Amino acid sequence: MRDKKKRGIITEYLPWLLISLAVLAILVITVFLLKEKGISLIDSIKNLFKGG
């Protein structure tokens, strides 16, 4: 009975865990691409908030 409860908790949080891992992977790839282009991440975030 206790095993079913643990499995239910895992299945509830699994989609959110996968989404967060995907977002984290996208952020890491973005940081690598920005570093290669010579643009710092902080400057690009500032430009986003300025609205172009």
Side-chain angles (χ1 to χ4, degrees), residues 15-31:
W16 294 109
L17 186 65
L18 291 175
I19 290 169
S20 62
L21 286 175
V23 169
L24 185 64
I26 291 169
L27 285 175
V28 168
I29 291 169
T30 305
V31 167

Side-chain angles (χ1 to χ4, degrees), residues 4-37:
K4 281 187 176 181
K5 195 174 188 181
K6 280 186 181 177
R7 217 177 285 148
I9 291 171
I10 290 172
T11 54
E12 278 183 34
Y13 288 110
L14 189 63
W16 294 109
L17 186 65
L18 291 175
I19 290 169
S20 62
L21 286 175
V23 169
L24 185 64
I26 291 169
L27 285 175
V28 168
I29 291 169
T30 305
V31 167
F32 275 149
L33 290 176
L34 288 176
K35 275 188 178 180
E36 285 182 10
K37 288 184 177 181

